[in-house]
């Protein structure tokens, strides 16, 4: 039996560096049946395989036209050669069918990508040698850490919130999905959880205790729902061996008071800045006007007070990118360029960031795009600009 596995995001997205868990589970399942399994990096000669599995996570990842034409996203059906199986949110968005149980609950094949990584390292080393540069192997290999260092899985699945911008609409509650031992590989240094809303699981405490008991660093890649934090949850989480930044979301300005109370709770558990705490700040979803811009800055202001970092996410879905049609398109870009670079946002106000860009602008007597977006908005809405454009992370700590 010859099995071909195609991680479409790996082929179609240049900088994509995260293993496709479905591909890893399919691989492990078929290897156990003694099949010959290949991770394929192109779409050629697919007829030579008994089964070809093509998976993609992102809707905007390109695939060959014949595949796209054969997929009916709305009716979750395909009209493709019989040996081709496609799946994932990238093809079917919120309607993506589940894997069969025996594959879904299989230990992933964490070595599916080994040959590809080996080839990438070899190619980069050869390139460096031919250009007379030193090849820093460990630095280069760091980009593959998610493939090499982590056990990956969903300890819970589902979410009850049904946010309008989110793909997770299939379930209306959070439930236990994979017991830790189903995907936990002792030989791997760390654990990466892909759960949709872990804190919403009724059994969160026992599951968190299990994670802590492994003594491995762990992280929730999709972020955590800070609206569900309690002091007990904060104390356990912020004292655990967490891997990297804690990530939450501050999507709606209507949650302002609730988030404020949770930020106080977070800082009760962690007074210092030892933990980097980041919040996604969704923009361009409810509107793309001055109110949306103001709401963005208002959320950033609150985060700064509790020494948390924003990550501005410009909303887009499979068909639309509303911020690109906004008169503030350039302002959205500038805000994201400022807010999403921790080293800059910690040191500079928004205005200082634009001034720094202007200083590098070559055409004298004109504004660079960043400064122009600031000036235009400030002329239109001086009160909003006055309140937010000069605020500085360093000066705002309130706890
Ligand atoms: S809370 Fe998070 S996972 Fe749940 S629907 Fe909203 S964005 Fe999606």
């Amino acid at each position: 039996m010859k099995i071909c596995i195609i991680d479409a995001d790996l082929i179609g997205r240049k900088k994509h560096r995260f293993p496709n868990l479905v591909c890893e589970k399919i691989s492990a399942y078929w290897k156990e049946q003694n099949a010959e399994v290949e991770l394929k990096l192109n779409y050629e000669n697919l007829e030579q395989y008994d089964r070809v599995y093509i998976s993609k996570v992102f809707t905007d990842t390109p695939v060959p036209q014949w595949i796209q034409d054969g997929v009916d996203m709305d009716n979750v059906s395909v009209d493709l050669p019989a040996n081709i199986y496609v799946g994932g949110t990238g093809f079917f968005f919120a309607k993506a069918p589940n894997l069969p149980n025996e594959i879904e609950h299989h230990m992933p094949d964490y070595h599916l990508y080994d040959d590809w990584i080996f080839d990438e390292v070899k190619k980069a080393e050869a390139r460096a040698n031919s250009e007379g540069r030193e090849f820093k192997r460990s630095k280069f290999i760091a980009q593959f850490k998610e493939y090499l260092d982590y056990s990956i899985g969903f300890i819970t699945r589902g979410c009850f919130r049904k946010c309008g911008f989110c793909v997770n609409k299939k379930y209306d509650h959070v439930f236990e999905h994979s017991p830790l031992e189903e995907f936990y590989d002792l030989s791997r240094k760390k654990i990466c959880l892909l759960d949709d809303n872990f804190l919403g699981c009724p059994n969160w405490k026992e599951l968190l205790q299990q994670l802590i008991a492994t003594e491995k660093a762990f992280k929730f890649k999709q972020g955590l729902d800070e609206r569900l934090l309690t002091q007990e949850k904060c104390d356990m989480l912020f004292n655990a061996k967490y891997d990297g930044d804690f990530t939450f979301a501050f999507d709606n300005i209507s949650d302002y008071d609730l988030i404020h109370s949770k930020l106080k709770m977070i800082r009760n558990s962690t007074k210092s800045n030892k933990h980097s705490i980041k919040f996604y700040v969704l923009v361009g979803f409810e509107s793309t006007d001055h109110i949306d811009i103001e709401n963005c800055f208002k959320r950033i202001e609150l985060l700064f007070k509790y020494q948390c970092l924003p990550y501005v996410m410009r909303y887009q879905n499979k068909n639309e990118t509303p911020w690109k049609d906004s008169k503030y398109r350039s302002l959205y870009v500038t805000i994201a360029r400022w807010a999403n670079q921790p080293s800059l946002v910690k040191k500079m106000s928004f205005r200082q960031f634009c001034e720094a860009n202007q200083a590098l602008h070559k055409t004298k007597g004109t504004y660079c795009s960043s400064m122009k977006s600031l000036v235009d908005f400030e002329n239109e809405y001086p009160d909003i600009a006055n309140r937010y454009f000069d605020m500085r992370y360093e000066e705002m700590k309130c706890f």
Side-chain angles (χ1 to χ4, degrees):
M1 190 83 159
K2 283 179 78 176
I3 305 293
C4 165
I5 295 179
I6 296 182
D7 173 348
D9 300 305
L10 180 66
I11 297 176
R13 306 175 85 84
K14 250 191 170 170
K15 293 187 179 161
H16 184 71
R17 289 289 180 263
F18 195 83
N20 181 311
L21 187 59
V22 167
C23 290
E24 292 191 336
K25 287 179 181 176
I26 293 171
S27 170
Y29 171 81
W30 280 107
K31 280 183 182 171
E32 198 178 59
Q33 322 291 315
N34 292 321
E36 199 183 307
V37 178
E38 181 187 344
L39 176 72
K40 198 156 164 55
L41 300 171
N42 57 56
Y43 295 88
E44 287 154 26
N45 306 321
L46 299 186
E47 65 289 345
Q48 61 175 292
Y49 298 92
D50 297 299
R51 283 170 177 250
V52 176
Y53 292 95
I54 306 172
S55 174
K56 81 174 174 139
V57 173
F58 301 98
T59 48
D60 60 348
T61 296
V63 292
Q65 199 56 45
W66 65 269
I67 296 176
Q68 204 56 62
D69 290 347
V71 175
D72 182 342
M73 199 165 194
D74 295 321
N75 294 313
V76 194
S77 61
V78 291
D79 181 14
L80 290 166
N83 67 335
I84 309 267
Y85 300 79
V86 300
T89 49
F91 285 114
F92 300 115
F93 205 55
K95 295 181 186 165
N98 295 342
L99 285 171
N101 254 348
E102 61 277 18
I103 299 181
E104 178 61 42
H105 291 287
H106 205 291
M107 170 70 84
D109 171 12
Y110 290 124
H111 296 287
L112 175 64
Y113 293 87
D114 284 2
D115 290 347
W116 165 70
I117 294 170
F118 183 77
D119 285 348
E120 290 295 302
V121 175
K122 244 182 21 193
K123 275 191 277 178
E125 191 166 16
R127 235 180 358 253
N129 289 342
S130 73
E131 290 165 9
R133 285 185 288 111
E134 184 191 351
F135 179 63
K136 294 190 174 135
R137 192 185 171 83
S138 56
K139 192 170 170 206
F140 182 78
I141 222 160
Q143 66 183 295
F144 304 109
K145 65 178 194 295
E146 316 269 13
Y147 299 85
L148 299 170
D149 293 346
Y150 291 82
S151 299
I152 304 175
F154 291 86
I155 204 160
T156 71
R157 271 205 123 127
C159 182
F160 51 89
R161 292 207 188 270
K162 302 202 185 303
C163 301
F165 47 83
C166 180
V167 68
N168 293 319
K169 295 204 175 62
K170 221 190 246 180
Y171 309 104
D172 55 10
H173 65 295
V174 186
F175 54 93
E176 289 178 55
H177 182 67
S178 294
L180 187 55
E181 61 272 15
E182 192 174 290
F183 61 91
Y184 176 41
D185 177 342
L186 261 171
S187 69
R188 308 212 129 211
K189 284 189 235 164
K190 297 176 179 180
I191 301 170
C192 176
L193 289 317
L194 303 179
D195 301 34
D196 309 313
N197 194 343
F198 174 78
L199 296 178
C201 181
N203 200 23
W204 68 269
K205 189 171 175 180
E206 198 189 318
L207 298 176
L208 190 52
Q209 279 165 342
Q210 286 173 16
L211 286 165
I212 292 169
T214 64
E215 297 182 2
K216 303 262 170 138
F218 64 92
K219 67 178 173 187
F220 288 94
K221 177 137 174 83
Q222 315 288 46
L224 289 160
D225 188 342
E226 70 299 327
R227 290 163 292 187
L228 301 174
L229 284 174
T230 59
Q231 199 60 61
E232 185 186 25
K233 285 174 178 165
C234 285
D235 292 344
M236 278 180 77
L237 255 181
F238 292 108
N239 289 304
K241 194 168 169 188
Y242 203 78
D243 180 45
D245 299 346
F246 284 94
T247 312
F248 298 95
F250 191 173
D251 297 321
N252 305 310
I253 193 73
S254 55
D255 290 328
Y256 188 93
D257 292 338
L258 183 61
I259 300 284
H260 194 177
S261 67
K262 303 301 180 186
L263 285 166
K264 285 183 190 159
M265 223 176 244
I266 289 174
R267 287 307 178 193
N268 268 339
S269 296
T270 165
K271 292 253 183 262
S272 69
N273 286 353
K274 185 181 96 187
H275 295 288
S276 183
I277 301 172
K278 195 178 271 172
F279 279 72
Y280 292 122
V281 173
L282 183 74
V283 297
F285 178 66
E286 283 179 357
S287 66
T288 53
D289 53 8
H290 69 283
I291 296 171
D292 191 51
I293 300 290
E294 181 176 19
N295 287 343
C296 171
F297 277 105
K298 192 172 175 189
R299 284 175 285 166
I300 292 175
E301 178 192 49
L302 181 62
L303 296 176
F304 278 4
K305 286 184 181 164
Y306 289 87
Q307 301 288 279
C308 296
L309 290 171
Y311 188 93
V312 171
M313 298 271 289
R314 286 162 283 174
Y315 171 72
Q316 67 176 81
N317 66 21
K318 64 183 192 306
N319 303 315
E320 312 165 298
T321 314
W323 65 271
K324 284 193 180 171
D325 301 323
S326 162
K327 69 188 269 203
Y328 302 121
R329 175 185 174 134
S330 176
L331 187 60
Y332 278 116
V333 173
T334 308
I335 294 170
R337 283 180 53 232
W338 166 66
N340 298 356
Q341 300 188 69
S343 56
L344 293 179
V345 82
K346 279 181 173 175
K347 297 269 172 251
M348 292 177 176
S349 68
F350 181 62
R351 188 185 304 281
Q352 287 170 324
F353 173 75
C354 293
E355 283 168 354
N357 278 279
Q358 181 64 30
L360 298 171
H361 189 53
K362 295 209 171 73
T363 319
K364 295 291 161 217
T366 61
Y367 286 131
C368 69
S369 61
S370 302
M371 189 51 117
K372 182 164 180 354
S373 71
L374 179 151
V375 170
D376 287 350
F377 190 84
E378 187 162 42
N379 286 337
E380 220 182 334
Y381 297 102
D383 293 346
I384 300 176
N386 191 32
R387 171 152 184 189
Y388 298 113
F389 285 5
D390 297 292
M391 63 185 180
R392 295 192 54 193
Y393 173 92
E394 283 175 330
E395 293 164 0
M396 294 184 69
K397 185 172 173 179
C398 74
F399 59 95

XYZ file of all heavy atoms in Angstrom, residues 70-100:
227
model
N -12.373 20.782 -7.739
C -13.035 19.533 -7.345
C -13.614 19.576 -5.941
O -14.209 18.603 -5.485
N -13.420 20.693 -5.245
C -13.887 20.773 -3.855
C -15.081 21.708 -3.760
O -15.014 22.857 -4.197
C -12.745 21.289 -2.935
C -13.247 21.499 -1.512
C -11.575 20.324 -2.945
N -16.157 21.220 -3.210
C -17.326 22.071 -2.979
C -17.387 22.388 -1.485
O -17.807 21.557 -0.677
C -18.599 21.349 -3.449
C -19.837 22.227 -3.271
O -19.763 23.210 -2.493
O -20.864 21.917 -3.899
N -16.940 23.584 -1.155
C -16.799 23.987 0.238
C -18.146 24.016 0.965
O -18.255 23.644 2.125
C -16.197 25.392 0.238
C -15.567 25.786 1.522
S -14.566 27.244 1.186
C -13.592 27.324 2.663
N -19.196 24.449 0.252
C -20.489 24.618 0.915
C -21.167 23.282 1.197
O -21.789 23.091 2.226
C -21.405 25.508 0.072
C -20.809 26.897 -0.015
O -20.274 27.363 1.012
O -20.828 27.496 -1.108
N -21.032 22.370 0.227
C -21.704 21.078 0.418
C -20.780 20.000 0.970
O -21.160 18.817 1.034
C -22.308 20.608 -0.907
C -23.424 21.552 -1.315
O -24.270 21.887 -0.489
N -23.396 22.011 -2.557
N -19.562 20.407 1.347
C -18.564 19.485 1.896
C -18.486 18.218 1.044
O -18.641 17.093 1.529
C -18.867 19.129 3.372
C -17.670 18.462 4.030
C -19.224 20.363 4.166
N -18.277 18.431 -0.254
C -18.161 17.262 -1.128
C -16.999 17.483 -2.101
O -16.554 18.618 -2.282
C -19.458 17.060 -1.907
O -19.702 18.197 -2.696
N -16.525 16.385 -2.685
C -15.428 16.497 -3.648
C -15.743 15.731 -4.917
O -16.447 14.729 -4.893
C -14.088 15.966 -3.063
C -13.564 16.859 -1.974
C -14.214 14.544 -2.562
N -15.216 16.250 -6.019
C -15.306 15.553 -7.284
C -13.861 15.439 -7.791
O -13.397 16.243 -8.591
C -16.186 16.370 -8.242
C -16.331 15.673 -9.572
O -15.997 14.484 -9.655
O -16.764 16.348 -10.539
N -13.163 14.457 -7.237
C -11.732 14.292 -7.504
C -11.452 12.822 -7.778
O -12.298 11.969 -7.471
C -10.922 14.740 -6.274
C -10.912 16.248 -5.970
C -10.385 16.517 -4.575
C -10.081 17.006 -7.001
N -10.278 12.471 -8.358
C -9.966 11.049 -8.554
C -10.174 10.263 -7.261
O -9.986 10.797 -6.159
C -8.488 11.072 -8.956
C -8.288 12.429 -9.565
C -9.217 13.363 -8.853
N -10.543 8.988 -7.412
C -10.973 8.186 -6.251
C -9.887 8.010 -5.192
O -10.191 7.732 -4.036
C -11.449 6.819 -6.739
N -8.620 8.153 -5.589
C -7.548 7.936 -4.590
C -7.195 9.225 -3.818
O -6.314 9.217 -2.980
C -6.280 7.384 -5.257
C -5.626 8.391 -6.196
O -6.297 9.278 -6.717
N -4.328 8.273 -6.400
N -7.894 10.330 -4.115
C -7.551 11.607 -3.472
C -8.541 11.919 -2.345
O -9.759 11.948 -2.567
C -7.590 12.777 -4.493
C -6.777 12.440 -5.741
C -7.172 14.091 -3.835
C -5.374 12.872 -5.759
N -8.010 12.186 -1.176
C -8.829 12.552 -0.017
C -8.382 13.942 0.444
O -7.186 14.140 0.679
C -8.626 11.559 1.129
C -8.993 10.138 0.768
C -8.122 9.341 0.022
C -10.216 9.603 1.151
C -8.467 8.040 -0.332
C -10.572 8.306 0.816
C -9.693 7.527 0.070
O -10.037 6.244 -0.279
N -9.323 14.863 0.534
C -8.927 16.194 1.018
C -9.681 16.497 2.309
O -10.788 16.005 2.540
C -9.196 17.323 -0.023
C -8.439 17.084 -1.303
C -10.678 17.486 -0.283
N -9.060 17.322 3.142
C -9.726 17.673 4.396
C -9.071 18.846 5.080
O -8.006 19.321 4.671
N -9.760 19.336 6.096
C -9.212 20.436 6.895
C -10.011 21.710 6.734
O -10.772 21.882 5.768
N -9.817 22.627 7.686
C -10.544 23.906 7.651
C -10.186 24.713 6.413
O -10.976 25.529 5.946
C -10.212 24.746 8.894
O -8.794 24.790 9.050
C -10.825 24.157 10.154
N -9.006 24.494 5.871
C -8.582 25.226 4.670
C -9.443 24.887 3.465
O -9.597 25.694 2.547
N -10.045 23.694 3.448
C -10.940 23.322 2.352
C -12.404 23.549 2.723
O -13.193 24.004 1.906
C -10.753 21.843 1.983
C -9.494 21.563 1.213
C -8.481 20.805 1.772
C -9.322 22.070 -0.070
C -7.314 20.546 1.062
C -8.159 21.817 -0.788
C -7.147 21.054 -0.217
N -12.754 23.210 3.963
C -14.184 23.189 4.314
C -14.559 24.133 5.452
O -15.659 24.065 5.968
C -14.600 21.753 4.678
C -14.383 20.778 3.554
C -13.459 19.750 3.666
C -15.091 20.905 2.373
C -13.254 18.867 2.628
C -14.895 20.021 1.325
C -13.968 18.992 1.448
N -13.623 24.966 5.856
C -13.823 25.954 6.913
C -14.524 25.310 8.110
O -14.118 24.251 8.563
C -14.598 27.156 6.344
C -14.349 28.429 7.110
C -13.060 28.910 7.302
C -15.399 29.155 7.661
C -12.823 30.076 8.019
C -15.171 30.319 8.380
C -13.883 30.771 8.554
N -15.595 25.933 8.623
C -16.217 25.433 9.857
C -16.886 24.067 9.679
O -17.211 23.394 10.663
C -17.228 26.440 10.368
N -17.092 23.653 8.390
C -17.804 22.392 8.176
C -16.865 21.202 7.988
O -17.318 20.112 7.622
C -18.689 22.513 6.930
C -19.802 23.535 7.068
C -20.616 23.547 5.766
C -21.657 24.633 5.768
N -22.189 24.877 4.423
N -15.577 21.410 8.192
C -14.608 20.327 7.937
C -14.984 19.053 8.703
O -15.176 19.100 9.917
C -13.212 20.781 8.346
N -15.119 17.938 7.975
C -15.506 16.688 8.653
C -14.413 16.196 9.602
O -13.239 16.486 9.404
C -15.685 15.700 7.496
C -15.649 16.493 6.251
C -14.938 17.773 6.535
N -14.823 15.441 10.621
C -13.853 14.858 11.554
C -13.134 13.690 10.896
O -13.648 13.071 9.964
C -14.579 14.328 12.793
C -15.220 15.459 13.569
O -14.869 16.623 13.397
N -16.176 15.124 14.422
N -11.971 13.367 11.432
C -11.258 12.169 10.988
C -11.952 10.947 11.579
O -12.602 11.050 12.625
C -9.829 12.189 11.527
C -8.822 13.117 10.880
C -7.545 13.149 11.711
C -8.515 12.680 9.457
N -11.789 9.776 10.952
C -12.300 8.567 11.615
C -11.629 8.438 12.988
O -10.456 8.796 13.142
C -11.845 7.426 10.692
C -11.439 8.079 9.419
C -11.117 9.507 9.689
